[in-house]
Structures are given as structure tokens and as C-alpha cells.
Amino acid sequence: MSIKYTPEPFRIKMVEMIKMTTPQERLQKIKDANFNLFSLASEDVYIDLLTDSGTGAMSHEQWSAMFVGDEAYAGGRSYRKLLKAGTDVFGYDYIQPVHQGRAAEKILMPLLLGKGKFAISNMHFDTTRAHVILSGGRPIDNIVPEGKKPNIRSKFKGNMDITRLEELIEEKGAENIGVIIQTITNNSAGGQPVSMKNMREVYEIGQKHNITVCIDAARFAENAYFIKRDEEEFKNWSIPDIVKKTFSYGDVFTMSAKKDFNVNMGGMLAVKDKSVNAALIQNIKASCINFEGFYTYGGLSGRDLEAMAVGIYQYMEEDYLAYRIGQMEYLAARLDAAGVVYQSPVGGHGVYIDAKAMFPHIPYKEFPGQVLAVELYKEAGIRSCDIGSYMIGNDPDTNEQIESEFEFTRLAIPRQVYTQSHFDVMADALIAIKERASEIKRGYKIKWEPPILRHFQAELEPIE
């Protein structure tokens, strides 16, 4: 059976040469990096799937827009251009540019949370979880049961569990829930989409209990594509109309624009209703000035604001999104043929390999997701990352290692960067590792780790 690759809706205008390395060289490089993929030099990586954040190839329209950036400290025209675009696309009254998504979280979470408060999410990703904890709150993940089962093919596996959400609010007390967070797509669960129906139900619960609903919106366009494709009610809607409807089911949103705006740097924090949330907006402005820069540039150059204002429209194009999702489906089809288990069906921005299924004999405390990530680098120079117990870290109260719902190795695909041949290298490497998986007996232990977001810096060593 032939496996079809979705053709690119663009042509290549500029290339960057990348270095090939030998297995012996890669083994030494990963040892020198203390078996942490983040510590590798980028020139020692052949295919870089560490993240899809800020690593895409921008369009010539974005590059040309950067030449007219207004670098004024306050009130620049590039800010006003982005403000107009953001208001047009999302329908929110207040748009605050920031340098990336975690900056939006750094500003917002202390304004909504504190000691004794909880944040409930369909799943918190790493920086969101960290900022909830740093603000004094505690994160609770609440994904639908089918989302926890990689081998079950089901639509909208990123959804919030509605029944459990109501139970959690009753259990903790509505007054103690600082925020409900809908992450679209659901990154920690494999880039799985969230349905419009689920967005609506969660927002109605938030309104009923007077709880702020925040959309973590980094991959809003990919999520809209899944809604159009798989939710009958919206099959004849345009992507921009689906996006605007989606954002109507939130009070605020945080966003890393480095994903679905396809810029190298940028983000947003937005508030829907300025008449209701005037105090919140003033506090956002004050925090932005303290931490990011004046609120009309938010830690960004004018040229970055210009690239964002173009990307906000450009990457909602349906042909582009079909190609984008099609890349994941091509890799997934090759893995299906070889019996490699992943979070299925594939999500929007990557393929999440089930490392627990690959290495059932390696316990979570030895980080099977990190084991597979290291083996991928050794096998083919591919850099990926653990989305599992290694990433989730220790309980902030007991300091005990948390067992993650998943032990994934994430292959995050940069936008408009890699070709079909690169995807074949990815598939071949995974198939080769699967064939020798039983020979890999043990995982890794941590030699040193920082107190939070440890996976970015920790030093590991193999367990002999």
C-alpha cells in the first residue's frame, strides 16, 4: 500500500545547509551534553524536532514586512497594526503583545492565582504548570479518559472532562478555582484538538461559577482545522469564522505566536471585555511595563510586531493547514505500517511516540520518553524531547517524582522546514529503534536538577 505525502503549497526560496554526523560523533556529543537534548549545539543536530516554537520558515511577506517595523518605544505604528489584526481575528477588546507565551503566563497567572488557589486545565504544558506553581497555585489536569489512551483512535482527545470539571469545582470550592485553562491544541496530550462543543460547555461552567476561562491559544489555527474537518456543525464554516467563534468561549487568552503565527519571536495576552475587566487590563499593563517593556511593544522589536501582524492571517489558510496536518499523517502512516505506537490519531504539530509501549520494561522513574529521545539522536541525529515524567518533574509540596499520564517522546515539526525525505529518516530511525528496543535495559537518573522546569537544564546519566 502506498503512503501519500501531502504536497507543499509553497516553493522553496532559500536553504540552510545542515551537518551530517557519524554515530561515534553523536554518542560523544550526547555524553558531553549530559544526555540532555537541550544542551546539544544546534549544528550537531541533523533534524531538529525539539520544538515547533519559533523554528519555522517565515514567508517572504513576513520578511518584507519586517523592513517597515516602527521601532518607537511608545505608540508605534507596528503596535497599532498588530492591535488591529488581533482585534479583527479574535474579537477581543485588549491585545497585549509580549515576547512569547510564557511571558503572558508570567503576567497573568499571579493576577488570577495565589496560595490556596487551583488552576484546572485539559492539560497544563510545562511553562503553564510552572507559572501556576510560581504564583502559589496548584495545577490540576483534567483531560477526557480517552485522551489518556494512545492506541485508541478518537476525535477530540484533547477535550476537558466536563463531568470531572463540575466535580472538581464542587470539591475545591468555586471561590478557590482561580482559572480554568483550555489549551488548544492540547500539547501535553499529543497536540490533540479540542471541539467547539467542549469549548462552549467549559465556558458555560466558568460563567455559572464566576470563574475566569483562559484559552492557551498557541495552536489556534490547527485546532480550527480539526473542528472544520471533524465537527459536523462547522464543516461549511471558514477557518477565520471558526477561530472567532472559538475565542468567544474565553474571557482571556495567552498565546505563543511562535507557533501558529509562525514567527521566530512573539506572543500575546488578551482580554475580551474591557468594560468588565478594566482593573485586570490596568494590572496587565503595569506588569508588562515592569517585566517586558512598555505595553505598546511588550518586549518585542517593531519588526517582530510586523511579522506577527502578517502571520496572524497567513497561517489560517486552509491549503496550508491541510498540508501541515498531512505531514503528521504521512509519518503516522509509516509508523502504523511498522507497529510503532503513538498518540493516535496524530495531532496538529507533532507525532508523540508512546515510549512506554516501546520500552515497557523501563519504569517511569527512569524516564522512557527521555530514553527514546536519546536513542533517536544516537540513531539519526534527530533531536526530540520527553513529554512525560522527566518533564513533569517533582511534586511541589512533597518533592516526590510525579508519574505522568503519558511517557511520550515528542517529534515537534517546525513549519515549512522539512521535506518528505526528512520524514522518511524519522520513520526509519524509529523503526530501527523499535527493532532493538529490548536490548535497552535501563533508563536514566538525574545527577543535578534545578527546582523548576528541570528538563531544560538537568544533567543525567545512564543507569548501568
Side-chain angles (χ1 to χ4, degrees):
M1 181 185 71
S2 63
I3 299 171
K4 184 179 179 182
Y5 184 86
T6 304
E8 289 83 356
F10 56 84
R11 56 190 175 199
I12 296 167
K13 209 168 196 176
M14 184 170 68
V15 296
E16 175 188 2
M17 302 306 291
I18 49 180
K19 185 173 75 174
M20 310 288 281
T21 54
T22 67
Q24 293 77 19
E25 288 172 330
R26 293 194 294 271
L27 180 59
Q28 188 59 52
K29 297 292 184 185
I30 196 65
K31 285 180 178 177
D32 293 344
N34 292 296
F35 299 93
N36 187 331
L37 284 299
F38 285 91
S39 297
L40 288 168
S42 64
E43 60 266 29
D44 294 324
V45 174
Y46 176 54
I47 300 176
D48 201 343
L49 311 179
L50 187 69
T51 180
D52 63 315
S53 179
T55 57
M58 291 197 298
S59 68
H60 66 264
E61 290 94 346
Q62 288 177 295
W63 281 110
S64 62
M66 293 175 74
F67 282 97
V68 297
D70 181 358
E71 306 302 340
Y73 187 90
R77 65 178 177 272
S78 297
Y79 164 73
R80 296 195 302 275
K81 183 176 178 181
L82 179 64
L83 192 68
K84 182 178 183 301
T87 303
D88 175 38
V89 170
F90 303 115
Y92 278 41
D93 289 343
Y94 183 74
I95 303 288
Q96 175 62 65
V98 289
H99 82 271
Q100 62 186 97
R102 69 193 61 183
E105 294 167 350
K106 177 182 174 61
I107 291 169
L108 182 64
M109 293 306 164
L111 301 177
L112 300 179
L113 295 164
K115 189 173 182 180
K117 296 281 189 177
F118 297 91
I120 303 173
S121 176
N122 53 343
M123 289 198 83
H124 298 80
F125 198 57
D126 55 2
T127 60
T128 319
R129 180 179 299 277
H131 282 295
V132 168
I133 294 169
L134 287 169
S135 70
R138 292 295 177 260
I140 301 173
D141 291 333
N142 180 40
I143 189 173
V144 289
E146 58 269 29
K148 301 176 184 180
K149 300 172 182 177
N151 60 346
I152 291 180
R153 291 183 180 272
S154 177
K155 296 175 182 177
F156 300 111
K157 288 173 74 172
N159 280 354
M160 182 87 72
D161 186 332
I162 296 297
T163 301
R164 180 62 181 147
L165 177 61
E166 290 276 26
E167 292 171 352
L168 285 166
I169 294 171
E170 177 68 24
E171 176 187 322
K172 303 295 184 183
E175 70 279 6
N176 296 317
I177 309 299
V179 62
I180 299 170
I181 303 169
Q182 280 279 58
T183 306
I184 58 171
T185 56
N186 192 329
N187 192 354
S188 292
Q192 293 294 308
V194 178
S195 71
M196 191 75 78
K197 179 176 183 290
N198 194 250
M199 296 291 295
R200 181 169 56 246
E201 290 173 343
V202 168
Y203 187 62
E204 288 171 353
I205 289 171
Q207 288 193 308
K208 180 173 73 173
H209 295 285
N210 197 30
I211 301 171
T212 298
V213 174
C214 174
I215 301 174
D216 180 353
R219 298 174 180 91
F220 71 96
E222 292 168 6
N223 199 79
Y225 178 83
F226 284 112
I227 288 173
K228 180 177 176 64
R229 192 189 72 179
D230 295 334
E231 203 164 355
E232 182 68 21
E233 180 184 349
F234 298 97
K235 67 180 182 179
N236 295 319
W237 285 45
S238 70
I239 295 295
D241 285 344
I242 292 171
V243 166
K244 187 162 282 188
K245 187 68 171 177
T246 298
F247 280 83
S248 73
Y249 298 128
D251 300 304
V252 297
F253 74 75
T254 59
M255 178 186 292
S256 168
K258 296 165 69 176
K259 283 79 169 177
D260 274 358
F261 286 22
N262 197 25
V263 292
N264 300 133
M265 189 59 65
M268 279 186 175
L269 169 56
V271 181
K272 184 163 68 180
D273 191 336
K274 65 182 179 183
S275 62
V276 174
N277 293 294
L280 176 62
I281 291 169
Q282 286 304 318
N283 287 331
I284 286 171
K285 286 182 176 180
S287 293
C288 183
I289 292 168
N290 287 336
F291 300 130
E292 290 287 293
F294 193 65
Y295 65 85
T296 62
Y297 75 92
L300 290 166
S301 61
R303 57 185 174 270
D304 293 321
L305 298 173
E306 290 283 347
M308 286 171 64
V310 173
I312 194 173
Y313 293 107
Q314 197 163 55
Y315 297 102
M316 289 192 291
E317 290 290 335
E318 198 167 330
D319 286 345
Y320 160 77
L321 289 167
Y323 149 77
R324 172 75 175 150
I325 308 306
Q327 286 188 308
M328 315 306 153
E329 291 173 338
Y330 174 81
L331 178 55
R334 286 216 53 199
L335 299 181
D336 284 337
V340 176
V341 182
Y342 58 91
Q343 174 67 299
S344 61
V346 284
H349 70 282
V351 179
Y352 288 54
I353 310 303
D354 188 350
K356 187 186 292 186
M358 182 85 76
F359 306 111
H361 52 285
I362 297 179
Y364 75 92
K365 289 186 177 182
E366 295 182 15
F367 316 129
Q370 185 70 4
V371 172
L372 181 53
V374 172
E375 292 302 315
L376 268 171
Y377 179 72
K378 292 194 295 185
E379 180 71 31
I382 298 169
R383 176 157 66 169
S384 57
C385 75
D386 169 284
I387 304 290
S389 296
Y390 171 57
M391 185 194 77
I392 205 168
N394 300 319
D395 185 286
D397 298 312
T398 68
N399 206 38
E400 292 294 316
Q401 172 65 54
I402 300 170
E403 181 175 5
S404 175
E405 293 281 4
F406 311 104
E407 301 296 343
F408 287 145
T409 302
R410 182 182 74 172
L411 280 60
I413 310 299
R415 291 159 181 80
Q416 304 178 148
V417 170
Y418 292 117
T419 67
Q420 180 177 355
S421 296
H422 292 112
F423 281 84
D424 286 331
V425 171
M426 300 172 206
D428 291 343
L430 285 164
I431 292 166
I433 295 167
K434 180 180 183 292
E435 290 173 352
R436 59 179 173 81
S438 62
E439 300 171 14
I440 302 166
K441 304 296 184 184
R442 301 293 301 272
Y444 291 89
K445 63 181 178 181
I446 294 175
K447 294 193 297 182
W448 173 84
E449 61 182 304
I452 201 160
L453 289 173
R454 70 181 184 190
H455 56 295
F456 289 120
Q457 300 185 70
E459 298 175 358
L460 302 97
E461 63 184 5
I463 299 171
E464 300 298 335

